[in-house]
Coordinates of all heavy atoms in Angstrom, one line a residue:
M1 N -29.8 12.2 7.4 CA -28.6 12.7 6.7 C -28.4 11.8 5.5 O -28.2 10.6 5.6 CB -27.4 12.8 7.6 CG -26.2 13.3 6.9 SD -24.8 13.4 8.1 CE -24.9 15.2 8.3
A2 N -28.2 12.4 4.3 CA -28.0 11.6 3.1 C -26.6 11.2 3.0 O -25.7 11.9 3.4 CB -28.4 12.4 1.9
S3 N -26.4 10.0 2.5 CA -25.0 9.5 2.2 C -24.6 9.8 0.8 O -25.4 9.8 -0.1 CB -25.0 7.9 2.4 OG -23.8 7.4 2.0
T4 N -23.3 10.1 0.7 CA -22.8 10.4 -0.7 C -22.1 9.2 -1.3 O -21.6 9.3 -2.4 CB -21.7 11.6 -0.6 OG1 -20.7 11.2 0.3 CG2 -22.4 12.8 -0.1
S5 N -22.1 8.1 -0.6 CA -21.4 6.9 -1.2 C -22.4 6.1 -2.1 O -23.6 6.3 -1.9 CB -20.9 6.0 -0.1 OG -22.0 5.5 0.7
D6 N -21.8 5.4 -3.0 CA -22.6 4.5 -3.8 C -21.9 3.2 -4.0 O -20.9 2.9 -3.4 CB -22.9 5.2 -5.2 CG -21.7 5.5 -6.0 OD1 -20.8 4.6 -6.0 OD2 -21.6 6.5 -6.6
A7 N -22.5 2.3 -4.8 CA -22.0 0.9 -4.9 C -20.6 0.9 -5.6 O -19.9 -0.1 -5.5 CB -23.0 0.1 -5.7
T8 N -20.2 2.0 -6.2 CA -18.9 2.0 -6.9 C -17.8 2.5 -6.0 O -16.6 2.5 -6.4 CB -18.9 2.8 -8.2 OG1 -19.2 4.2 -7.8 CG2 -19.9 2.3 -9.1
D9 N -18.1 3.0 -4.8 CA -17.1 3.5 -3.9 C -16.1 2.3 -3.5 O -16.6 1.2 -3.3 CB -17.7 4.1 -2.6 CG -18.3 5.4 -2.9 OD1 -18.0 6.0 -3.9 OD2 -18.9 5.9 -1.9
T10 N -14.9 2.7 -3.3 CA -13.9 1.7 -2.8 C -14.2 1.5 -1.3 O -14.4 2.4 -0.6 CB -12.5 2.3 -3.0 OG1 -12.3 2.6 -4.4 CG2 -11.4 1.3 -2.5
P11 N -14.1 0.2 -0.9 CA -14.3 -0.1 0.5 C -13.3 0.6 1.4 O -12.2 0.8 1.0 CB -14.1 -1.6 0.6 CG -14.4 -2.1 -0.8 CD -14.0 -1.0 -1.7
R12 N -13.7 1.0 2.6 CA -12.8 1.6 3.5 C -11.8 0.6 4.1 O -12.2 -0.5 4.2 CB -13.6 2.3 4.6 CG -14.4 3.5 4.1 CD -15.2 4.1 5.2 NE -16.1 5.1 4.6 CZ -16.1 6.4 4.9 NH1 -15.2 6.8 5.8 NH2 -16.9 7.2 4.3
P13 N -10.7 1.1 4.5 CA -9.7 0.2 5.2 C -10.3 -0.4 6.4 O -11.2 0.2 7.1 CB -8.5 1.1 5.5 CG -8.7 2.3 4.7 CD -10.1 2.4 4.4
T14 N -9.9 -1.6 6.8 CA -10.3 -2.2 8.0 C -9.2 -2.3 9.0 O -8.0 -2.1 8.6 CB -10.8 -3.6 7.8 OG1 -9.7 -4.4 7.3 CG2 -11.9 -3.7 6.7
A15 N -9.5 -2.6 10.2 CA -8.4 -2.8 11.2 C -7.8 -4.1 11.1 O -6.7 -4.4 11.6 CB -9.0 -2.5 12.6
A16 N -8.5 -5.0 10.5 CA -8.0 -6.4 10.3 C -7.2 -6.6 9.0 O -7.6 -6.0 8.0 CB -9.2 -7.4 10.3
P17 N -6.2 -7.4 9.0 CA -5.5 -7.7 7.8 C -6.4 -8.3 6.8 O -7.2 -9.1 7.1 CB -4.4 -8.7 8.3 CG -4.3 -8.5 9.7 CD -5.6 -8.1 10.2
R18 N -6.2 -7.9 5.5 CA -7.0 -8.4 4.4 C -6.3 -9.4 3.5 O -6.9 -10.0 2.7 CB -7.5 -7.2 3.6 CG -8.4 -6.2 4.4 CD -8.9 -5.1 3.6 NE -9.9 -5.6 2.6 CZ -10.3 -4.9 1.6 NH1 -9.9 -3.6 1.4 NH2 -11.1 -5.4 0.7
F19 N -5.0 -9.5 3.7 CA -4.2 -10.5 2.9 C -2.9 -10.7 3.6 O -2.4 -9.8 4.4 CB -4.0 -10.0 1.5 CG -3.3 -8.6 1.4 CD1 -1.9 -8.6 1.3 CD2 -4.0 -7.4 1.5 CE1 -1.3 -7.3 1.3 CE2 -3.4 -6.2 1.4 CZ -2.0 -6.2 1.3
P20 N -2.2 -11.8 3.4 CA -0.9 -12.0 3.9 C 0.2 -11.2 3.2 O 0.1 -11.0 2.0 CB -0.6 -13.5 3.8 CG -1.5 -13.9 2.6 CD -2.7 -13.0 2.6
L21 N 1.1 -10.7 4.0 CA 2.2 -9.9 3.4 C 3.3 -10.7 2.8 O 4.1 -10.3 1.9 CB 2.8 -8.9 4.4 CG 1.9 -7.8 4.9 CD1 2.6 -7.1 6.0 CD2 1.6 -6.8 3.7
G22 N 3.5 -12.0 3.3 CA 4.6 -12.8 2.9 C 5.9 -12.2 3.5 O 5.8 -11.5 4.6
Q23 N 7.0 -12.5 2.9 CA 8.3 -11.9 3.4 C 8.3 -10.4 3.2 O 7.9 -9.9 2.1 CB 9.5 -12.5 2.7 CG 10.8 -12.0 3.1 CD 12.0 -12.6 2.4 OE1 11.8 -13.3 1.4 NE2 13.2 -12.2 2.8
C24 N 8.6 -9.6 4.2 CA 8.6 -8.1 4.0 C 10.1 -7.7 3.8 O 11.0 -8.0 4.6 CB 8.0 -7.5 5.3 SG 6.3 -7.9 5.5
V25 N 10.2 -6.9 2.8 CA 11.5 -6.3 2.4 C 11.4 -4.9 2.1 O 10.3 -4.4 1.8 CB 12.2 -7.1 1.2 CG1 12.4 -8.6 1.6 CG2 11.4 -7.0 0.0
A26 N 12.5 -4.1 2.2 CA 12.5 -2.7 1.8 C 13.8 -2.4 1.1 O 14.9 -3.0 1.5 CB 12.3 -1.8 3.0
T27 N 13.8 -1.5 0.2 CA 15.0 -1.1 -0.5 C 15.8 -0.2 0.4 O 15.2 0.5 1.3 CB 14.7 -0.4 -1.9 OG1 13.9 0.8 -1.6 CG2 13.9 -1.3 -2.8
P28 N 17.1 0.0 0.1 CA 17.9 1.0 0.9 C 17.3 2.4 0.8 O 17.2 3.1 1.8 CB 19.2 0.9 0.3 CG 19.3 -0.5 -0.3 CD 17.9 -0.8 -0.8
G29 N 16.8 2.8 -0.4 CA 16.3 4.1 -0.5 C 15.0 4.3 0.3 O 14.8 5.4 0.9
A30 N 14.2 3.3 0.4 CA 12.9 3.4 1.2 C 13.3 3.4 2.7 O 12.7 4.2 3.4 CB 12.0 2.2 0.9
L31 N 14.2 2.6 3.1 CA 14.7 2.7 4.5 C 15.2 4.0 4.9 O 14.9 4.6 5.9 CB 15.6 1.6 4.8 CG 15.1 0.1 4.7 CD1 16.2 -0.9 4.9 CD2 14.0 0.0 5.8
D32 N 16.1 4.6 4.0 CA 16.6 5.9 4.2 C 15.5 7.0 4.4 O 15.6 7.8 5.2 CB 17.6 6.3 3.1 CG 18.9 5.6 3.2 OD1 19.2 4.9 4.2 OD2 19.6 5.6 2.2
A33 N 14.5 6.9 3.4 CA 13.4 7.9 3.5 C 12.6 7.8 4.8 O 12.2 8.8 5.4 CB 12.5 7.7 2.3
L34 N 12.4 6.5 5.2 CA 11.6 6.3 6.4 C 12.4 6.8 7.6 O 11.9 7.5 8.5 CB 11.3 4.8 6.6 CG 10.2 4.3 5.6 CD1 10.2 2.8 5.6 CD2 8.8 4.9 6.0
R35 N 13.7 6.5 7.7 CA 14.6 6.9 8.8 C 14.6 8.5 8.9 O 14.5 9.0 10.0 CB 16.0 6.4 8.6 CG 16.3 5.2 9.4 CD 17.8 4.8 9.3 NE 17.9 3.5 8.9 CZ 18.3 3.0 7.8 NH1 18.7 3.8 6.8 NH2 18.3 1.7 7.5
A36 N 14.7 9.1 7.8 CA 14.7 10.6 7.7 C 13.5 11.2 8.3 O 13.5 12.3 8.8 CB 14.9 11.1 6.3
Q37 N 12.4 10.5 8.3 CA 11.1 11.0 8.8 C 10.7 10.3 10.2 O 9.6 10.5 10.7 CB 10.0 10.7 7.8 CG 10.1 11.5 6.5 CD 10.2 13.0 6.8 OE1 9.3 13.6 7.3 NE2 11.3 13.6 6.3
N38 N 11.7 9.5 10.7 CA 11.5 8.8 12.0 C 10.2 7.9 11.9 O 9.4 7.9 12.9 CB 11.4 9.8 13.1 CG 11.7 9.1 14.5 OD1 12.4 8.1 14.5 ND2 11.1 9.6 15.5
L39 N 10.0 7.2 10.8 CA 8.9 6.3 10.6 C 9.4 4.9 10.5 O 10.5 4.6 10.0 CB 8.1 6.6 9.4 CG 7.4 8.0 9.3 CD1 6.9 8.3 7.9 CD2 6.3 8.0 10.4
A40 N 8.6 4.0 11.1 CA 9.0 2.5 11.0 C 8.3 1.9 9.8 O 7.1 2.2 9.4 CB 8.5 1.8 12.2
P41 N 9.0 1.0 9.1 CA 8.4 0.4 7.9 C 7.1 -0.3 8.1 O 6.2 -0.3 7.3 CB 9.5 -0.6 7.4 CG 10.8 -0.1 8.0 CD 10.4 0.6 9.3
W42 N 7.0 -1.0 9.3 CA 5.8 -1.8 9.6 C 4.5 -0.9 9.6 O 3.4 -1.4 9.3 CB 5.9 -2.5 10.9 CG 6.2 -1.7 12.1 CD1 7.3 -1.4 12.7 CD2 5.2 -1.1 12.9 NE1 7.1 -0.6 13.8 CE2 5.8 -0.4 13.9 CE3 3.8 -1.0 12.8 CZ2 5.1 0.4 14.9 CZ3 3.1 -0.3 13.8 CH2 3.8 0.4 14.8
T43 N 4.7 0.4 9.9 CA 3.5 1.3 9.9 C 2.9 1.4 8.6 O 1.7 1.2 8.4 CB 4.0 2.7 10.3 OG1 4.7 2.7 11.5 CG2 2.8 3.6 10.5
L44 N 3.7 1.5 7.5 CA 3.1 1.6 6.2 C 2.7 0.2 5.7 O 1.6 0.0 5.0 CB 4.1 2.2 5.2 CG 4.5 3.6 5.5 CD1 5.5 4.1 4.4 CD2 3.3 4.5 5.6
L45 N 3.4 -0.8 6.0 CA 3.0 -2.2 5.6 C 1.7 -2.6 6.3 O 0.9 -3.3 5.6 CB 4.1 -3.2 6.0 CG 5.4 -3.1 5.1 CD1 6.5 -4.0 5.7 CD2 5.1 -3.6 3.7
R46 N 1.5 -2.2 7.5 CA 0.2 -2.5 8.2 C -0.9 -1.8 7.5 O -2.0 -2.4 7.3 CB 0.3 -2.1 9.7 CG -1.0 -2.3 10.4 CD -1.3 -3.7 10.6 NE -2.5 -3.8 11.5 CZ -3.1 -4.9 11.7 NH1 -2.7 -6.0 11.2 NH2 -4.2 -4.9 12.5
R47 N -0.8 -0.5 7.1 CA -1.8 0.2 6.4 C -2.1 -0.5 5.1 O -3.3 -0.7 4.8 CB -1.4 1.6 6.1 CG -1.4 2.6 7.3 CD -0.8 3.9 7.0 NE -1.6 4.6 5.9 CZ -1.3 5.7 5.3 NH1 -0.1 6.4 5.7 NH2 -2.0 6.3 4.4
H48 N -1.1 -0.9 4.4 CA -1.2 -1.6 3.1 C -2.0 -2.9 3.3 O -3.0 -3.2 2.6 CB 0.2 -1.9 2.6 CG 0.3 -2.7 1.3 ND1 -0.2 -2.2 0.1 CD2 0.8 -3.9 1.1 CE1 0.1 -3.1 -0.8 NE2 0.7 -4.2 -0.2
Q49 N -1.6 -3.7 4.3 CA -2.3 -5.0 4.6 C -3.7 -4.8 5.0 O -4.5 -5.7 4.7 CB -1.5 -5.7 5.7 CG -2.0 -7.1 5.9 CD -1.2 -7.8 7.0 OE1 -0.8 -7.2 8.0 NE2 -0.9 -9.1 6.8
C50 N -4.1 -3.7 5.6 CA -5.5 -3.5 6.0 C -6.3 -2.8 4.9 O -7.5 -2.5 5.2 CB -5.5 -2.7 7.3 SG -4.8 -3.6 8.7
G51 N -5.8 -2.6 3.8 CA -6.6 -2.0 2.7 C -6.6 -0.5 2.6 O -7.4 0.0 1.9
D52 N -5.7 0.1 3.3 CA -5.5 1.6 3.2 C -4.5 1.7 2.1 O -3.3 1.6 2.3 CB -5.0 2.2 4.5 CG -4.6 3.6 4.4 OD1 -4.7 4.2 3.2 OD2 -4.3 4.2 5.4
W53 N -5.0 2.0 0.8 CA -4.1 2.0 -0.3 C -3.4 3.4 -0.5 O -2.6 3.6 -1.4 CB -4.9 1.7 -1.6 CG -5.8 0.5 -1.5 CD1 -7.1 0.5 -1.8 CD2 -5.4 -0.8 -1.2 NE1 -7.6 -0.8 -1.6 CE2 -6.6 -1.6 -1.2 CE3 -4.2 -1.4 -0.8 CZ2 -6.6 -3.0 -1.0 CZ3 -4.2 -2.8 -0.5 CH2 -5.4 -3.6 -0.6
G54 N -3.6 4.3 0.5 CA -2.8 5.5 0.5 C -3.3 6.4 -0.6 O -4.5 6.7 -0.8
D55 N -2.4 6.9 -1.4 CA -2.6 7.9 -2.4 C -2.8 7.4 -3.9 O -2.6 8.2 -4.8 CB -1.4 9.0 -2.4 CG -1.3 9.6 -1.1 OD1 -2.3 9.9 -0.4 OD2 -0.1 9.9 -0.7
V56 N -3.2 6.1 -4.0 CA -3.4 5.7 -5.4 C -4.7 6.3 -5.9 O -5.6 6.8 -5.1 CB -3.6 4.1 -5.4 CG1 -2.3 3.4 -5.0 CG2 -4.8 3.6 -4.6
C57 N -4.8 6.4 -7.2 CA -6.0 7.0 -7.8 C -7.2 6.0 -7.6 O -7.0 4.8 -7.2 CB -5.8 7.2 -9.3 SG -5.5 5.7 -10.3
A58 N -8.4 6.4 -7.8 CA -9.6 5.6 -7.6 C -9.5 4.3 -8.5 O -9.9 3.3 -8.0 CB -10.8 6.4 -7.9
E59 N -9.0 4.5 -9.7 CA -9.0 3.3 -10.6 C -8.0 2.2 -10.0 O -8.3 1.0 -10.0 CB -8.5 3.7 -12.0 CG -8.4 2.6 -12.9 CD -8.0 3.0 -14.3 OE1 -8.2 4.2 -14.7 OE2 -7.4 2.2 -15.0
D60 N -6.9 2.7 -9.5 CA -5.9 1.7 -8.9 C -6.5 1.1 -7.6 O -6.2 -0.1 -7.3 CB -4.6 2.4 -8.6 CG -3.8 2.6 -9.9 OD1 -4.1 2.0 -10.9 OD2 -2.8 3.4 -9.8
A61 N -7.2 1.9 -6.8 CA -7.8 1.4 -5.6 C -8.8 0.3 -6.0 O -8.9 -0.8 -5.3 CB -8.5 2.5 -4.8
Q62 N -9.6 0.5 -7.0 CA -10.6 -0.5 -7.5 C -9.8 -1.8 -8.0 O -10.2 -2.9 -7.8 CB -11.5 0.0 -8.6 CG -12.7 0.7 -8.1 CD -13.5 -0.1 -7.1 OE1 -13.6 0.2 -6.0 NE2 -14.2 -1.1 -7.6
Q63 N -8.7 -1.6 -8.7 CA -7.9 -2.7 -9.1 C -7.4 -3.5 -7.9 O -7.3 -4.7 -8.0 CB -6.7 -2.2 -10.0 CG -7.2 -1.8 -11.4 CD -6.0 -1.3 -12.3 OE1 -4.9 -1.1 -11.8 NE2 -6.3 -1.2 -13.6
N64 N -7.0 -2.8 -6.9 CA -6.5 -3.5 -5.7 C -7.6 -4.3 -5.1 O -7.4 -5.5 -4.7 CB -6.0 -2.5 -4.6 CG -4.6 -2.1 -4.9 OD1 -3.9 -2.6 -5.7 ND2 -4.2 -1.0 -4.2
E65 N -8.8 -3.8 -5.0 CA -10.0 -4.5 -4.5 C -10.2 -5.8 -5.3 O -10.5 -6.9 -4.8 CB -11.2 -3.6 -4.4 CG -11.1 -2.5 -3.4 CD -10.9 -3.0 -2.0 OE1 -11.5 -4.0 -1.6 OE2 -10.1 -2.3 -1.3
Q66 N -10.1 -5.6 -6.7 CA -10.3 -6.8 -7.5 C -9.2 -7.8 -7.4 O -9.4 -9.0 -7.4 CB -10.4 -6.3 -9.0 CG -10.9 -7.4 -9.9 CD -12.3 -7.8 -9.6 OE1 -13.2 -7.1 -9.2 NE2 -12.6 -9.1 -9.8
A67 N -8.0 -7.3 -7.1 CA -6.8 -8.1 -6.9 C -6.9 -9.0 -5.7 O -6.4 -10.1 -5.6 CB -5.5 -7.3 -6.9
L68 N -7.6 -8.5 -4.7 CA -7.8 -9.3 -3.5 C -8.7 -10.5 -3.8 O -8.5 -11.5 -3.2 CB -8.5 -8.4 -2.4 CG -7.7 -7.3 -1.7 CD1 -8.5 -6.4 -0.9 CD2 -6.6 -8.0 -0.9
I69 N -9.6 -10.3 -4.7 CA -10.5 -11.4 -5.1 C -9.8 -12.4 -6.1 O -9.9 -13.6 -5.9 CB -11.8 -10.9 -5.8 CG1 -12.6 -10.0 -4.8 CG2 -12.6 -12.0 -6.4 CD1 -13.6 -9.2 -5.4
E70 N -9.1 -11.8 -7.0 CA -8.4 -12.6 -8.1 C -7.0 -13.1 -7.8 O -6.5 -13.9 -8.5 CB -8.4 -11.8 -9.4 CG -9.8 -11.5 -9.9 CD -9.8 -10.6 -11.1 OE1 -8.7 -10.1 -11.5 OE2 -10.9 -10.3 -11.6
G71 N -6.4 -12.6 -6.7 CA -5.0 -13.0 -6.4 C -4.0 -12.3 -7.3 O -3.0 -12.9 -7.7
A72 N -4.2 -11.0 -7.6 CA -3.2 -10.3 -8.4 C -2.4 -9.4 -7.5 O -2.6 -9.3 -6.3 CB -4.0 -9.4 -9.4
R73 N -1.4 -8.7 -8.1 CA -0.5 -7.8 -7.4 C -1.3 -6.6 -6.8 O -2.3 -6.1 -7.3 CB 0.5 -7.3 -8.4 CG 1.5 -6.3 -7.8 CD 2.3 -5.6 -8.9 NE 1.4 -4.8 -9.8 CZ 1.1 -3.5 -9.6 NH1 1.5 -2.8 -8.6 NH2 0.2 -2.9 -10.4
L74 N -0.8 -6.2 -5.6 CA -1.4 -5.0 -4.9 C -0.4 -3.9 -4.8 O 0.8 -4.1 -4.5 CB -1.8 -5.5 -3.5 CG -2.8 -6.6 -3.4 CD1 -2.8 -7.3 -2.0 CD2 -4.2 -6.0 -3.7
L75 N -0.9 -2.7 -5.0 CA 0.0 -1.5 -4.9 C -0.6 -0.4 -4.0 O -1.8 -0.1 -4.2 CB 0.2 -0.9 -6.3 CG 0.8 0.5 -6.4 CD1 2.3 0.5 -6.0 CD2 0.7 1.1 -7.8
S76 N 0.2 0.1 -3.1 CA -0.2 1.3 -2.3 C 0.8 2.3 -2.5 O 2.0 2.0 -2.7 CB -0.3 0.9 -0.8 OG -1.4 0.0 -0.6
I77 N 0.4 3.6 -2.4 CA 1.4 4.7 -2.5 C 1.1 5.6 -1.3 O 0.0 6.0 -1.0 CB 1.1 5.5 -3.8 CG1 1.3 4.6 -5.0 CG2 2.0 6.7 -3.8 CD1 0.9 5.3 -6.3
Y78 N 2.2 5.9 -0.5 CA 2.2 6.7 0.7 C 3.1 7.9 0.5 O 4.2 7.8 0.1 CB 2.5 5.9 1.9 CG 1.7 4.7 2.1 CD1 2.2 3.4 1.8 CD2 0.4 4.8 2.4 CE1 1.4 2.3 1.9 CE2 -0.4 3.7 2.6 CZ 0.1 2.4 2.3 OH -0.7 1.3 2.4
T79 N 2.6 9.1 0.9 CA 3.4 10.3 0.9 C 3.8 10.6 2.3 O 3.0 10.7 3.2 CB 2.5 11.5 0.3 OG1 2.0 11.1 -1.0 CG2 3.4 12.7 0.2
L80 N 5.2 10.6 2.4 CA 5.8 10.9 3.7 C 5.6 12.4 4.1 O 5.3 13.2 3.2 CB 7.2 10.5 3.7 CG 7.5 9.0 3.4 CD1 9.0 8.7 3.4 CD2 6.7 8.1 4.3
P81 N 5.8 12.8 5.3 CA 5.7 14.2 5.7 C 6.5 15.2 4.9 O 6.1 16.3 4.7 CB 6.1 14.2 7.2 CG 5.7 12.8 7.7 CD 6.0 11.9 6.5
D82 N 7.7 14.7 4.4 CA 8.5 15.6 3.6 C 8.1 15.6 2.1 O 8.8 16.2 1.3 CB 10.0 15.2 3.8 CG 10.3 13.8 3.2 OD1 9.4 13.1 2.7 OD2 11.5 13.5 3.2
G83 N 7.1 14.9 1.7 CA 6.6 14.9 0.3 C 7.1 13.7 -0.5 O 6.6 13.5 -1.6
Q84 N 8.1 13.0 0.0 CA 8.7 11.8 -0.6 C 7.6 10.8 -0.7 O 6.8 10.6 0.2 CB 9.9 11.3 0.1 CG 10.5 10.0 -0.4 CD 11.6 10.3 -1.3 OE1 12.4 11.2 -1.1 NE2 11.8 9.6 -2.4
R85 N 7.5 10.0 -1.8 CA 6.5 9.0 -2.0 C 7.2 7.6 -1.8 O 8.3 7.4 -2.3 CB 5.8 9.1 -3.3 CG 5.0 10.4 -3.4 CD 4.2 10.5 -4.6 NE 2.8 10.5 -4.2 CZ 1.8 10.3 -5.0 NH1 2.0 10.0 -6.2 NH2 0.6 10.4 -4.5
L86 N 6.5 6.7 -1.2 CA 6.9 5.3 -1.1 C 5.8 4.4 -1.7 O 4.6 4.7 -1.5 CB 7.1 4.9 0.4 CG 8.4 5.4 1.0 CD1 8.5 4.8 2.4 CD2 9.6 5.0 0.2
W87 N 6.2 3.4 -2.3 CA 5.3 2.4 -2.8 C 5.4 1.2 -1.9 O 6.5 0.8 -1.5 CB 5.7 2.0 -4.2 CG 5.4 3.0 -5.3 CD1 4.9 4.2 -5.2 CD2 5.6 2.8 -6.7 NE1 4.8 4.8 -6.4 CE2 5.2 4.0 -7.3 CE3 6.2 1.8 -7.4 CZ2 5.3 4.1 -8.7 CZ3 6.3 1.9 -8.8 CH2 5.8 3.1 -9.4
A88 N 4.3 0.5 -1.7 CA 4.2 -0.8 -1.1 C 3.6 -1.7 -2.2 O 2.5 -1.5 -2.7 CB 3.4 -0.8 0.2
I89 N 4.3 -2.8 -2.5 CA 3.8 -3.7 -3.5 C 3.9 -5.1 -2.9 O 4.9 -5.6 -2.3 CB 4.7 -3.7 -4.8 CG1 4.7 -2.3 -5.4 CG2 4.3 -4.8 -5.7 CD1 5.7 -2.2 -6.6
T90 N 2.7 -5.8 -3.0 CA 2.6 -7.2 -2.6 C 2.4 -8.0 -3.9 O 1.5 -7.7 -4.7 CB 1.5 -7.5 -1.6 OG1 1.8 -6.7 -0.4 CG2 1.4 -9.0 -1.2
E91 N 3.3 -9.0 -4.0 CA 3.2 -9.9 -5.2 C 1.9 -10.7 -5.3 O 1.3 -10.9 -4.3 CB 4.4 -10.8 -5.3 CG 5.7 -10.1 -5.4 CD 5.9 -9.2 -6.6 OE1 5.3 -9.5 -7.7 OE2 6.5 -8.1 -6.5
A92 N 1.5 -11.1 -6.5 CA 0.3 -11.8 -6.7 C 0.2 -13.1 -5.9 O -0.9 -13.4 -5.4 CB 0.1 -12.1 -8.2
D93 N 1.3 -13.8 -5.7 CA 1.2 -15.0 -4.9 C 1.4 -14.8 -3.4 O 1.4 -15.7 -2.6 CB 2.3 -16.0 -5.4 CG 3.7 -15.5 -5.2 OD1 3.9 -14.4 -4.6 OD2 4.7 -16.2 -5.6
R94 N 1.4 -13.5 -3.0 CA 1.5 -13.0 -1.6 C 2.8 -13.6 -0.9 O 2.8 -13.7 0.3 CB 0.3 -13.4 -0.8 CG -1.1 -13.1 -1.4 CD -1.2 -11.5 -1.5 NE -2.6 -11.2 -2.0 CZ -2.8 -10.7 -3.2 NH1 -1.8 -10.5 -4.1 NH2 -4.0 -10.4 -3.6
S95 N 3.8 -13.9 -1.7 CA 5.1 -14.4 -1.1 C 6.0 -13.3 -0.6 O 6.8 -13.5 0.3 CB 5.8 -15.2 -2.2 OG 6.2 -14.3 -3.3
V96 N 5.8 -12.1 -1.1 CA 6.7 -11.0 -0.6 C 6.0 -9.6 -0.8 O 5.2 -9.4 -1.7 CB 8.0 -11.0 -1.4 CG1 7.8 -10.7 -2.9 CG2 9.0 -10.0 -0.8
S97 N 6.2 -8.7 0.2 CA 5.8 -7.4 0.1 C 7.0 -6.5 0.2 O 7.9 -6.7 1.0 CB 4.8 -7.0 1.2 OG 3.6 -7.7 1.1
T98 N 7.1 -5.5 -0.7 CA 8.3 -4.6 -0.8 C 7.9 -3.2 -0.6 O 6.9 -2.7 -1.2 CB 8.9 -4.8 -2.2 OG1 9.2 -6.2 -2.4 CG2 10.2 -4.0 -2.3
L99 N 8.7 -2.4 0.2 CA 8.6 -1.0 0.3 C 9.7 -0.4 -0.6 O 10.9 -0.9 -0.4 CB 8.7 -0.5 1.7 CG 7.6 -0.7 2.7 CD1 7.9 -0.2 4.1 CD2 6.4 0.1 2.2
L100 N 9.4 0.5 -1.5 CA 10.4 1.0 -2.3 C 10.1 2.4 -2.8 O 8.9 2.8 -2.7 CB 10.7 0.2 -3.5 CG 9.5 0.0 -4.6 CD1 10.1 -0.4 -5.9 CD2 8.5 -0.9 -4.1
L101 N 11.1 3.2 -3.2 CA 10.8 4.5 -3.8 C 10.4 4.2 -5.3 O 10.8 3.2 -5.9 CB 12.1 5.3 -3.9 CG 12.7 5.6 -2.5 CD1 14.1 6.4 -2.7 CD2 11.8 6.5 -1.7
P102 N 9.5 5.0 -5.8 CA 9.1 4.8 -7.2 C 10.2 4.7 -8.2 O 10.2 3.8 -9.1 CB 8.2 6.1 -7.5 CG 7.8 6.5 -6.2 CD 8.9 6.2 -5.2
E103 N 11.3 5.5 -8.0 CA 12.4 5.4 -9.0 C 13.2 4.1 -8.8 O 14.1 3.8 -9.6 CB 13.3 6.6 -8.8 CG 13.9 6.8 -7.5 CD 13.1 7.8 -6.6 OE1 11.9 7.9 -6.8 OE2 13.7 8.3 -5.7
E104 N 13.0 3.3 -7.8 CA 13.7 2.0 -7.6 C 12.9 0.9 -8.2 O 13.4 -0.3 -8.1 CB 13.9 1.8 -6.1 CG 14.8 2.8 -5.4 CD 14.9 2.6 -3.9 OE1 13.8 2.4 -3.2 OE2 16.0 2.6 -3.4
Y105 N 11.8 1.1 -8.8 CA 11.0 0.1 -9.4 C 11.6 -0.5 -10.6 O 12.2 0.2 -11.4 CB 9.6 0.6 -9.7 CG 8.6 -0.5 -10.2 CD1 8.1 -1.4 -9.3 CD2 8.3 -0.6 -11.5 CE1 7.3 -2.4 -9.7 CE2 7.4 -1.6 -12.0 CZ 6.9 -2.5 -11.1 OH 6.1 -3.5 -11.5

């Protein structure tokens, strides 16, 4: 069976953490959105930490992969069951990871 992947494909998420989250914080809007869907913040933070960048475009996924090497900011975007989007951002120095609504940026 032929594979459709090539050297430019973004690596798949792993079960192991790929970077430290630092202090984890969430905005009130993000917490409200998660509560409304009965979701725990750590669920999305764990996906983010394991390299599941969610709904980012291919270019942003590649930037995240490069950021892991260079120590730059990381961004994931997750769409909740109700269609609301949440961002997970880890700062370049890995001191803090934040869950927030895009309009709270």
Side-chain angles (χ1 to χ4, degrees):
M1 178 177 258
S3 172
T4 58
S5 64
D6 62 40
T8 62
D9 282 351
T10 301
R12 292 179 187 239
T14 66
R18 298 183 67 194
F19 58 91
L21 292 171
Q23 180 181 6
C24 296
V25 298
T27 63
L31 291 174
D32 288 345
L34 289 164
R35 261 189 233 109
Q37 296 301 303
N38 200 31
L39 295 171
W42 61 265
T43 306
L44 297 182
L45 287 169
R46 176 70 175 168
R47 287 177 59 188
H48 176 66
Q49 187 180 36
C50 292
D52 174 354
W53 312 125
D55 300 323
V56 298
C57 66
E59 182 179 332
D60 286 345
Q62 275 303 113
Q63 286 180 346
N64 280 345
E65 293 301 321
Q66 195 62 36
L68 289 171
I69 296 165
E70 298 174 356
R73 178 194 60 91
L74 297 159
L75 168 69
S76 294
I77 300 172
Y78 303 106
T79 304
L80 302 181
D82 66 354
Q84 178 95 37
R85 296 185 117 196
L86 283 184
W87 288 1
I89 298 175
T90 298
E91 297 302 327
D93 64 3
R94 309 297 185 252
S95 63
V96 65
S97 293
T98 305
L99 284 176
L100 67 158
L101 299 174
E103 58 268 24
E104 294 176 314
Y105 186 72

